[in-house]
Amino acid sequence: MTMITVSVNGETKTFPKGINIKEMLQKLNFHDEWLGVAVNKEFVPKDAFEKTCLKSGDEVDVLAPVSGG
Amino acid sequence: MTKMMETDQTGWEIGGKQLTSRMFIGSALYPSPAVMEDAIKASQAQVVTVSLRRQGVNKEAGEGFWNIIRELGVEVLPNTAGCHSAKEAITVAQMAREVFGTNWIKLEVIGDQYNLQPDPYETVEAAKVLVKEGFEVFPYTTDDLVVAKKLVGAGCNILMPWGSPIGSGKGLMNPYNLKAIREAFPNMPLIIDAGIGKPSHAVMAMELGYDGILLNSAVALAQDSVAMAKAFALAVEAGRMGYEAGAMQEREFASPSTPTVGTPFWHQNK
């Protein structure tokens, strides 16, 4: 199986080629109810998670609610 | 009865929502989640600022925080804290809209790391895009009147000039500039955001005719956050009531308040 290397929140991860965002979140045990995702600094809406496949070298940010001022 | 009573009953409007409290409060820096919850309740604030950060190893702590805020039943105002460009702020705002389910965004684009002064150019650029995308933009800005005008030109319906740098607690550094913004935009909701350290600063902001204040450190870092939150609630109410009541004209010289007619004889030859 061909693998790709992706950065998720600054950590290098390896996934099978063709993986989409929904599958990636499940693999990393992220609950997607309160999460926002950006790939290469571009926002990806939830309804596009399944149709957005990751490529090698992508930088993914998975953000969650925290306190703020 | 009084004007304030009328105000309390009818409330005021900002960003399409009707509120009674004029205090917005941040959710950061409290000694514990329990203190945060109690302080927010004591402040009577109906708007709480929140943020987004990378989901890390401590997932449960993040979820715990968010559950507390949701259970408080307040309006959330997500921020773009930590962004240094319009592009970054736009992406974070888009993510925040989906995560928090609100089109409100506290637009914060930092231009200087030392005093966390907002970058006016990037803030205006981001505001233009976000307004077009349907956001209600609450721009964190300095007390510069020209920048305020540019933000309004970009489509902002609200302005949030700083009192002084974030977390400094120095209060209102330049009341003259803040007054000029108030006079330039008499009908626009204006919030003093950042720099407020004491309840007296909040009174001053409200007496200038500002519609509200946004603070965080002043309450979170107080020795008793809950008591301080209550003190601020009273200060905001007192300041607003004072503004609505209309202050007396300041005079250059003393003027006796006790009647001079009938002054006892021993003063009459002086």
PDB file of all heavy atoms in Angstrom, chain B residues 135-170:
ATOM      1  N   PHE B 135     -20.001  37.790   8.049  1.00  0.00           N
ATOM      2  CA  PHE B 135     -19.639  37.842   9.473  1.00  0.00           C
ATOM      3  C   PHE B 135     -20.083  39.165  10.091  1.00  0.00           C
ATOM      4  O   PHE B 135     -20.122  40.194   9.415  1.00  0.00           O
ATOM      5  CB  PHE B 135     -18.120  37.720   9.650  1.00  0.00           C
ATOM      6  CG  PHE B 135     -17.587  36.330   9.488  1.00  0.00           C
ATOM      7  CD1 PHE B 135     -17.223  35.851   8.235  1.00  0.00           C
ATOM      8  CD2 PHE B 135     -17.455  35.494  10.585  1.00  0.00           C
ATOM      9  CE1 PHE B 135     -16.732  34.566   8.078  1.00  0.00           C
ATOM     10  CE2 PHE B 135     -16.960  34.205  10.432  1.00  0.00           C
ATOM     11  CZ  PHE B 135     -16.595  33.745   9.183  1.00  0.00           C
ATOM     12  N   GLU B 136     -20.399  39.115  11.373  1.00  0.00           N
ATOM     13  CA  GLU B 136     -20.558  40.353  12.156  1.00  0.00           C
ATOM     14  C   GLU B 136     -19.207  40.565  12.815  1.00  0.00           C
ATOM     15  O   GLU B 136     -18.839  39.848  13.747  1.00  0.00           O
ATOM     16  CB  GLU B 136     -21.655  40.178  13.201  1.00  0.00           C
ATOM     17  CG  GLU B 136     -22.038  41.457  13.919  1.00  0.00           C
ATOM     18  CD  GLU B 136     -22.729  42.463  12.997  1.00  0.00           C
ATOM     19  OE1 GLU B 136     -23.899  42.246  12.629  1.00  0.00           O
ATOM     20  OE2 GLU B 136     -22.075  43.472  12.661  1.00  0.00           O
ATOM     21  N   VAL B 137     -18.456  41.518  12.298  1.00  0.00           N
ATOM     22  CA  VAL B 137     -17.072  41.695  12.722  1.00  0.00           C
ATOM     23  C   VAL B 137     -16.985  42.668  13.896  1.00  0.00           C
ATOM     24  O   VAL B 137     -17.468  43.799  13.817  1.00  0.00           O
ATOM     25  CB  VAL B 137     -16.206  42.198  11.545  1.00  0.00           C
ATOM     26  CG1 VAL B 137     -14.768  42.423  11.995  1.00  0.00           C
ATOM     27  CG2 VAL B 137     -16.243  41.200  10.397  1.00  0.00           C
ATOM     28  N   PHE B 138     -16.371  42.207  14.981  1.00  0.00           N
ATOM     29  CA  PHE B 138     -16.069  43.035  16.148  1.00  0.00           C
ATOM     30  C   PHE B 138     -14.554  43.304  16.076  1.00  0.00           C
ATOM     31  O   PHE B 138     -13.763  42.504  16.593  1.00  0.00           O
ATOM     32  CB  PHE B 138     -16.379  42.292  17.450  1.00  0.00           C
ATOM     33  CG  PHE B 138     -17.834  42.030  17.730  1.00  0.00           C
ATOM     34  CD1 PHE B 138     -18.602  41.229  16.892  1.00  0.00           C
ATOM     35  CD2 PHE B 138     -18.439  42.552  18.869  1.00  0.00           C
ATOM     36  CE1 PHE B 138     -19.937  40.968  17.175  1.00  0.00           C
ATOM     37  CE2 PHE B 138     -19.766  42.300  19.164  1.00  0.00           C
ATOM     38  CZ  PHE B 138     -20.525  41.507  18.313  1.00  0.00           C
ATOM     39  N   PRO B 139     -14.140  44.381  15.439  1.00  0.00           N
ATOM     40  CA  PRO B 139     -12.693  44.563  15.242  1.00  0.00           C
ATOM     41  C   PRO B 139     -11.996  45.157  16.457  1.00  0.00           C
ATOM     42  O   PRO B 139     -12.374  46.210  16.969  1.00  0.00           O
ATOM     43  CB  PRO B 139     -12.631  45.535  14.049  1.00  0.00           C
ATOM     44  CG  PRO B 139     -13.894  46.314  14.128  1.00  0.00           C
ATOM     45  CD  PRO B 139     -14.920  45.462  14.806  1.00  0.00           C
ATOM     46  N   TYR B 140     -10.981  44.450  16.900  1.00  0.00           N
ATOM     47  CA  TYR B 140     -10.103  44.967  17.963  1.00  0.00           C
ATOM     48  C   TYR B 140      -9.128  45.928  17.289  1.00  0.00           C
ATOM     49  O   TYR B 140      -8.393  45.547  16.385  1.00  0.00           O
ATOM     50  CB  TYR B 140      -9.373  43.792  18.613  1.00  0.00           C
ATOM     51  CG  TYR B 140      -8.183  44.181  19.458  1.00  0.00           C
ATOM     52  CD1 TYR B 140      -8.331  45.018  20.556  1.00  0.00           C
ATOM     53  CD2 TYR B 140      -6.906  43.719  19.152  1.00  0.00           C
ATOM     54  CE1 TYR B 140      -7.242  45.382  21.318  1.00  0.00           C
ATOM     55  CE2 TYR B 140      -5.809  44.083  19.912  1.00  0.00           C
ATOM     56  CZ  TYR B 140      -5.984  44.913  20.995  1.00  0.00           C
ATOM     57  OH  TYR B 140      -4.907  45.279  21.743  1.00  0.00           O
ATOM     58  N   THR B 141      -9.156  47.179  17.717  1.00  0.00           N
ATOM     59  CA  THR B 141      -8.342  48.190  17.050  1.00  0.00           C
ATOM     60  C   THR B 141      -7.733  49.123  18.096  1.00  0.00           C
ATOM     61  O   THR B 141      -8.022  49.005  19.278  1.00  0.00           O
ATOM     62  CB  THR B 141      -9.216  48.966  16.030  1.00  0.00           C
ATOM     63  OG1 THR B 141      -8.433  49.938  15.367  1.00  0.00           O
ATOM     64  CG2 THR B 141     -10.400  49.660  16.697  1.00  0.00           C
ATOM     65  N   THR B 142      -6.883  50.022  17.625  1.00  0.00           N
ATOM     66  CA  THR B 142      -6.333  51.006  18.557  1.00  0.00           C
ATOM     67  C   THR B 142      -7.348  52.145  18.699  1.00  0.00           C
ATOM     68  O   THR B 142      -8.461  52.067  18.182  1.00  0.00           O
ATOM     69  CB  THR B 142      -5.016  51.592  18.025  1.00  0.00           C
ATOM     70  OG1 THR B 142      -5.283  52.240  16.782  1.00  0.00           O
ATOM     71  CG2 THR B 142      -3.959  50.520  17.842  1.00  0.00           C
ATOM     72  N   ASP B 143      -6.943  53.225  19.365  1.00  0.00           N
ATOM     73  CA  ASP B 143      -7.852  54.365  19.522  1.00  0.00           C
ATOM     74  C   ASP B 143      -7.655  55.390  18.400  1.00  0.00           C
ATOM     75  O   ASP B 143      -7.958  56.560  18.571  1.00  0.00           O
ATOM     76  CB  ASP B 143      -7.672  55.001  20.903  1.00  0.00           C
ATOM     77  CG  ASP B 143      -6.213  55.317  21.206  1.00  0.00           C
ATOM     78  OD1 ASP B 143      -5.455  55.593  20.257  1.00  0.00           O
ATOM     79  OD2 ASP B 143      -5.830  55.265  22.386  1.00  0.00           O
ATOM     80  N   ASP B 144      -7.155  54.939  17.251  1.00  0.00           N
ATOM     81  CA  ASP B 144      -6.890  55.818  16.112  1.00  0.00           C
ATOM     82  C   ASP B 144      -8.188  56.052  15.327  1.00  0.00           C
ATOM     83  O   ASP B 144      -8.789  55.109  14.801  1.00  0.00           O
ATOM     84  CB  ASP B 144      -5.827  55.155  15.213  1.00  0.00           C
ATOM     85  CG  ASP B 144      -5.361  56.072  14.099  1.00  0.00           C
ATOM     86  OD1 ASP B 144      -6.220  56.587  13.337  1.00  0.00           O
ATOM     87  OD2 ASP B 144      -4.146  56.268  13.989  1.00  0.00           O
ATOM     88  N   LEU B 145      -8.579  57.311  15.235  1.00  0.00           N
ATOM     89  CA  LEU B 145      -9.839  57.665  14.580  1.00  0.00           C
ATOM     90  C   LEU B 145      -9.846  57.294  13.101  1.00  0.00           C
ATOM     91  O   LEU B 145     -10.851  56.828  12.560  1.00  0.00           O
ATOM     92  CB  LEU B 145     -10.100  59.172  14.748  1.00  0.00           C
ATOM     93  CG  LEU B 145     -11.339  59.732  14.056  1.00  0.00           C
ATOM     94  CD1 LEU B 145     -12.618  59.080  14.569  1.00  0.00           C
ATOM     95  CD2 LEU B 145     -11.418  61.242  14.247  1.00  0.00           C
ATOM     96  N   VAL B 146      -8.711  57.480  12.438  1.00  0.00           N
ATOM     97  CA  VAL B 146      -8.668  57.205  10.993  1.00  0.00           C
ATOM     98  C   VAL B 146      -8.807  55.698  10.731  1.00  0.00           C
ATOM     99  O   VAL B 146      -9.527  55.285   9.814  1.00  0.00           O
ATOM    100  CB  VAL B 146      -7.367  57.766  10.361  1.00  0.00           C
ATOM    101  CG1 VAL B 146      -7.302  57.425   8.885  1.00  0.00           C
ATOM    102  CG2 VAL B 146      -7.310  59.270  10.566  1.00  0.00           C
ATOM    103  N   VAL B 147      -8.165  54.901  11.559  1.00  0.00           N
ATOM    104  CA  VAL B 147      -8.321  53.445  11.406  1.00  0.00           C
ATOM    105  C   VAL B 147      -9.776  53.056  11.657  1.00  0.00           C
ATOM    106  O   VAL B 147     -10.356  52.226  10.937  1.00  0.00           O
ATOM    107  CB  VAL B 147      -7.378  52.679  12.358  1.00  0.00           C
ATOM    108  CG1 VAL B 147      -7.609  51.173  12.252  1.00  0.00           C
ATOM    109  CG2 VAL B 147      -5.922  52.996  12.045  1.00  0.00           C
ATOM    110  N   ALA B 148     -10.375  53.696  12.659  1.00  0.00           N
ATOM    111  CA  ALA B 148     -11.794  53.423  12.948  1.00  0.00           C
ATOM    112  C   ALA B 148     -12.644  53.723  11.714  1.00  0.00           C
ATOM    113  O   ALA B 148     -13.528  52.931  11.347  1.00  0.00           O
ATOM    114  CB  ALA B 148     -12.249  54.261  14.136  1.00  0.00           C
ATOM    115  N   LYS B 149     -12.355  54.827  11.055  1.00  0.00           N
ATOM    116  CA  LYS B 149     -13.120  55.179   9.844  1.00  0.00           C
ATOM    117  C   LYS B 149     -12.917  54.151   8.731  1.00  0.00           C
ATOM    118  O   LYS B 149     -13.839  53.803   8.009  1.00  0.00           O
ATOM    119  CB  LYS B 149     -12.697  56.570   9.351  1.00  0.00           C
ATOM    120  CG  LYS B 149     -13.249  57.695  10.209  1.00  0.00           C
ATOM    121  CD  LYS B 149     -12.879  59.043   9.626  1.00  0.00           C
ATOM    122  CE  LYS B 149     -13.575  60.158  10.385  1.00  0.00           C
ATOM    123  NZ  LYS B 149     -13.179  61.490   9.926  1.00  0.00           N
ATOM    124  N   LYS B 150     -11.682  53.678   8.599  1.00  0.00           N
ATOM    125  CA  LYS B 150     -11.398  52.670   7.563  1.00  0.00           C
ATOM    126  C   LYS B 150     -12.165  51.372   7.853  1.00  0.00           C
ATOM    127  O   LYS B 150     -12.635  50.700   6.936  1.00  0.00           O
ATOM    128  CB  LYS B 150      -9.893  52.362   7.493  1.00  0.00           C
ATOM    129  CG  LYS B 150      -9.037  53.556   7.116  1.00  0.00           C
ATOM    130  CD  LYS B 150      -9.053  53.826   5.633  1.00  0.00           C
ATOM    131  CE  LYS B 150      -8.123  54.980   5.288  1.00  0.00           C
ATOM    132  NZ  LYS B 150      -8.371  55.506   3.947  1.00  0.00           N
ATOM    133  N   LEU B 151     -12.248  51.022   9.130  1.00  0.00           N
ATOM    134  CA  LEU B 151     -12.968  49.799   9.490  1.00  0.00           C
ATOM    135  C   LEU B 151     -14.462  49.944   9.185  1.00  0.00           C
ATOM    136  O   LEU B 151     -15.098  49.005   8.688  1.00  0.00           O
ATOM    137  CB  LEU B 151     -12.750  49.469  10.973  1.00  0.00           C
ATOM    138  CG  LEU B 151     -11.357  48.924  11.299  1.00  0.00           C
ATOM    139  CD1 LEU B 151     -11.085  48.967  12.796  1.00  0.00           C
ATOM    140  CD2 LEU B 151     -11.197  47.490  10.783  1.00  0.00           C
ATOM    141  N   VAL B 152     -14.983  51.110   9.468  1.00  0.00           N
ATOM    142  CA  VAL B 152     -16.395  51.356   9.146  1.00  0.00           C
ATOM    143  C   VAL B 152     -16.571  51.324   7.624  1.00  0.00           C
ATOM    144  O   VAL B 152     -17.538  50.745   7.104  1.00  0.00           O
ATOM    145  CB  VAL B 152     -16.864  52.696   9.755  1.00  0.00           C
ATOM    146  CG1 VAL B 152     -18.275  53.039   9.305  1.00  0.00           C
ATOM    147  CG2 VAL B 152     -16.810  52.609  11.289  1.00  0.00           C
ATOM    148  N   GLY B 153     -15.617  51.897   6.902  1.00  0.00           N
ATOM    149  CA  GLY B 153     -15.647  51.851   5.436  1.00  0.00           C
ATOM    150  C   GLY B 153     -15.584  50.423   4.905  1.00  0.00           C
ATOM    151  O   GLY B 153     -16.121  50.119   3.836  1.00  0.00           O
ATOM    152  N   ALA B 154     -14.938  49.551   5.664  1.00  0.00           N
ATOM    153  CA  ALA B 154     -14.842  48.138   5.260  1.00  0.00           C
ATOM    154  C   ALA B 154     -16.139  47.385   5.540  1.00  0.00           C
ATOM    155  O   ALA B 154     -16.280  46.228   5.159  1.00  0.00           O
ATOM    156  CB  ALA B 154     -13.685  47.465   6.003  1.00  0.00           C
ATOM    157  N   GLY B 155     -17.063  48.039   6.248  1.00  0.00           N
ATOM    158  CA  GLY B 155     -18.362  47.420   6.498  1.00  0.00           C
ATOM    159  C   GLY B 155     -18.619  47.011   7.936  1.00  0.00           C
ATOM    160  O   GLY B 155     -19.648  46.402   8.235  1.00  0.00           O
ATOM    161  N   CYS B 156     -17.698  47.351   8.836  1.00  0.00           N
ATOM    162  CA  CYS B 156     -17.913  46.982  10.248  1.00  0.00           C
ATOM    163  C   CYS B 156     -19.053  47.820  10.840  1.00  0.00           C
ATOM    164  O   CYS B 156     -19.126  49.029  10.617  1.00  0.00           O
ATOM    165  CB  CYS B 156     -16.645  47.216  11.071  1.00  0.00           C
ATOM    166  SG  CYS B 156     -15.290  46.120  10.608  1.00  0.00           S
ATOM    167  N   ASN B 157     -19.902  47.161  11.611  1.00  0.00           N
ATOM    168  CA  ASN B 157     -21.015  47.850  12.286  1.00  0.00           C
ATOM    169  C   ASN B 157     -20.710  48.102  13.749  1.00  0.00           C
ATOM    170  O   ASN B 157     -21.550  48.630  14.482  1.00  0.00           O
ATOM    171  CB  ASN B 157     -22.279  46.980  12.210  1.00  0.00           C
ATOM    172  CG  ASN B 157     -22.676  46.701  10.792  1.00  0.00           C
ATOM    173  OD1 ASN B 157     -22.767  47.615   9.977  1.00  0.00           O
ATOM    174  ND2 ASN B 157     -22.897  45.434  10.469  1.00  0.00           N
ATOM    175  N   ILE B 158     -19.551  47.655  14.182  1.00  0.00           N
ATOM    176  CA  ILE B 158     -19.155  47.716  15.596  1.00  0.00           C
ATOM    177  C   ILE B 158     -17.667  48.060  15.614  1.00  0.00           C
ATOM    178  O   ILE B 158     -16.925  47.635  14.724  1.00  0.00           O
ATOM    179  CB  ILE B 158     -19.355  46.325  16.255  1.00  0.00           C
ATOM    180  CG1 ILE B 158     -20.843  45.947  16.283  1.00  0.00           C
ATOM    181  CG2 ILE B 158     -18.763  46.272  17.672  1.00  0.00           C
ATOM    182  CD1 ILE B 158     -21.082  44.457  16.361  1.00  0.00           C
ATOM    183  N   LEU B 159     -17.233  48.799  16.637  1.00  0.00           N
ATOM    184  CA  LEU B 159     -15.793  49.057  16.793  1.00  0.00           C
ATOM    185  C   LEU B 159     -15.391  48.716  18.218  1.00  0.00           C
ATOM    186  O   LEU B 159     -16.154  48.962  19.164  1.00  0.00           O
ATOM    187  CB  LEU B 159     -15.474  50.527  16.523  1.00  0.00           C
ATOM    188  CG  LEU B 159     -15.650  51.015  15.083  1.00  0.00           C
ATOM    189  CD1 LEU B 159     -15.519  52.542  15.039  1.00  0.00           C
ATOM    190  CD2 LEU B 159     -14.627  50.370  14.157  1.00  0.00           C
ATOM    191  N   MET B 160     -14.183  48.176  18.360  1.00  0.00           N
ATOM    192  CA  MET B 160     -13.680  47.851  19.698  1.00  0.00           C
ATOM    193  C   MET B 160     -12.274  48.425  19.890  1.00  0.00           C
ATOM    194  O   MET B 160     -11.279  47.677  19.823  1.00  0.00           O
ATOM    195  CB  MET B 160     -13.684  46.340  19.920  1.00  0.00           C
ATOM    196  CG  MET B 160     -15.062  45.732  19.839  1.00  0.00           C
ATOM    197  SD  MET B 160     -15.271  44.272  20.861  1.00  0.00           S
ATOM    198  CE  MET B 160     -14.073  43.168  20.182  1.00  0.00           C
ATOM    199  N   PRO B 161     -12.166  49.734  20.116  1.00  0.00           N
ATOM    200  CA  PRO B 161     -10.841  50.306  20.371  1.00  0.00           C
ATOM    201  C   PRO B 161     -10.288  49.869  21.727  1.00  0.00           C
ATOM    202  O   PRO B 161     -11.042  49.631  22.664  1.00  0.00           O
ATOM    203  CB  PRO B 161     -11.112  51.817  20.358  1.00  0.00           C
ATOM    204  CG  PRO B 161     -12.555  51.980  20.633  1.00  0.00           C
ATOM    205  CD  PRO B 161     -13.238  50.738  20.137  1.00  0.00           C
ATOM    206  N   TRP B 162      -8.971  49.807  21.792  1.00  0.00           N
ATOM    207  CA  TRP B 162      -8.357  49.414  23.067  1.00  0.00           C
ATOM    208  C   TRP B 162      -8.342  50.606  24.033  1.00  0.00           C
ATOM    209  O   TRP B 162      -8.368  51.768  23.618  1.00  0.00           O
ATOM    210  CB  TRP B 162      -6.958  48.847  22.858  1.00  0.00           C
ATOM    211  CG  TRP B 162      -5.854  49.792  22.418  1.00  0.00           C
ATOM    212  CD1 TRP B 162      -5.964  51.134  22.138  1.00  0.00           C
ATOM    213  CD2 TRP B 162      -4.480  49.464  22.222  1.00  0.00           C
ATOM    214  NE1 TRP B 162      -4.756  51.651  21.772  1.00  0.00           N
ATOM    215  CE2 TRP B 162      -3.819  50.651  21.811  1.00  0.00           C
ATOM    216  CE3 TRP B 162      -3.742  48.301  22.356  1.00  0.00           C
ATOM    217  CZ2 TRP B 162      -2.456  50.690  21.538  1.00  0.00           C
ATOM    218  CZ3 TRP B 162      -2.387  48.352  22.072  1.00  0.00           C
ATOM    219  CH2 TRP B 162      -1.760  49.518  21.672  1.00  0.00           C
ATOM    220  N   GLY B 163      -8.310  50.276  25.316  1.00  0.00           N
ATOM    221  CA  GLY B 163      -8.071  51.306  26.326  1.00  0.00           C
ATOM    222  C   GLY B 163      -6.568  51.459  26.482  1.00  0.00           C
ATOM    223  O   GLY B 163      -6.021  52.552  26.576  1.00  0.00           O
ATOM    224  N   SER B 164      -5.883  50.330  26.502  1.00  0.00           N
ATOM    225  CA  SER B 164      -4.419  50.238  26.559  1.00  0.00           C
ATOM    226  C   SER B 164      -4.070  48.793  26.159  1.00  0.00           C
ATOM    227  O   SER B 164      -4.978  47.987  25.949  1.00  0.00           O
ATOM    228  CB  SER B 164      -3.915  50.597  27.967  1.00  0.00           C
ATOM    229  OG  SER B 164      -4.626  49.896  28.964  1.00  0.00           O
ATOM    230  N   PRO B 165      -2.784  48.464  26.054  1.00  0.00           N
ATOM    231  CA  PRO B 165      -2.447  47.122  25.556  1.00  0.00           C
ATOM    232  C   PRO B 165      -3.066  45.969  26.370  1.00  0.00           C
ATOM    233  O   PRO B 165      -3.250  46.076  27.584  1.00  0.00           O
ATOM    234  CB  PRO B 165      -0.912  47.098  25.640  1.00  0.00           C
ATOM    235  CG  PRO B 165      -0.533  48.523  25.420  1.00  0.00           C
ATOM    236  CD  PRO B 165      -1.587  49.319  26.163  1.00  0.00           C
ATOM    237  N   ILE B 166      -3.329  44.900  25.642  1.00  0.00           N
ATOM    238  CA  ILE B 166      -3.950  43.689  26.220  1.00  0.00           C
ATOM    239  C   ILE B 166      -3.215  43.253  27.485  1.00  0.00           C
ATOM    240  O   ILE B 166      -1.994  43.115  27.480  1.00  0.00           O
ATOM    241  CB  ILE B 166      -3.904  42.521  25.198  1.00  0.00           C
ATOM    242  CG1 ILE B 166      -4.759  42.843  23.974  1.00  0.00           C
ATOM    243  CG2 ILE B 166      -4.340  41.211  25.840  1.00  0.00           C
ATOM    244  CD1 ILE B 166      -4.622  41.821  22.840  1.00  0.00           C
ATOM    245  N   GLY B 167      -3.962  43.049  28.528  1.00  0.00           N
ATOM    246  CA  GLY B 167      -3.391  42.498  29.755  1.00  0.00           C
ATOM    247  C   GLY B 167      -2.571  43.476  30.578  1.00  0.00           C
ATOM    248  O   GLY B 167      -2.007  43.097  31.598  1.00  0.00           O
ATOM    249  N   SER B 168      -2.510  44.746  30.139  1.00  0.00           N
ATOM    250  CA  SER B 168      -1.663  45.700  30.870  1.00  0.00           C
ATOM    251  C   SER B 168      -2.356  46.253  32.112  1.00  0.00           C
ATOM    252  O   SER B 168      -1.703  46.637  33.072  1.00  0.00           O
ATOM    253  CB  SER B 168      -1.249  46.869  29.951  1.00  0.00           C
ATOM    254  OG  SER B 168      -2.372  47.668  29.634  1.00  0.00           O
ATOM    255  N   GLY B 169      -3.670  46.316  32.087  1.00  0.00           N
ATOM    256  CA  GLY B 169      -4.406  46.861  33.230  1.00  0.00           C
ATOM    257  C   GLY B 169      -4.176  48.343  33.448  1.00  0.00           C
ATOM    258  O   GLY B 169      -4.433  48.867  34.532  1.00  0.00           O
ATOM    259  N   LYS B 170      -3.708  49.028  32.414  1.00  0.00           N
ATOM    260  CA  LYS B 170      -3.386  50.456  32.562  1.00  0.00           C
ATOM    261  C   LYS B 170      -4.595  51.373  32.391  1.00  0.00           C
ATOM    262  O   LYS B 170      -4.482  52.582  32.536  1.00  0.00           O
ATOM    263  CB  LYS B 170      -2.297  50.846  31.563  1.00  0.00           C
ATOM    264  CG  LYS B 170      -0.922  50.298  31.911  1.00  0.00           C
ATOM    265  CD  LYS B 170       0.109  50.780  30.915  1.00  0.00           C
ATOM    266  CE  LYS B 170       1.498  50.263  31.272  1.00  0.00           C
ATOM    267  NZ  LYS B 170       1.986  50.791  32.557  1.00  0.00           N
TER     268      LYS B 170
END
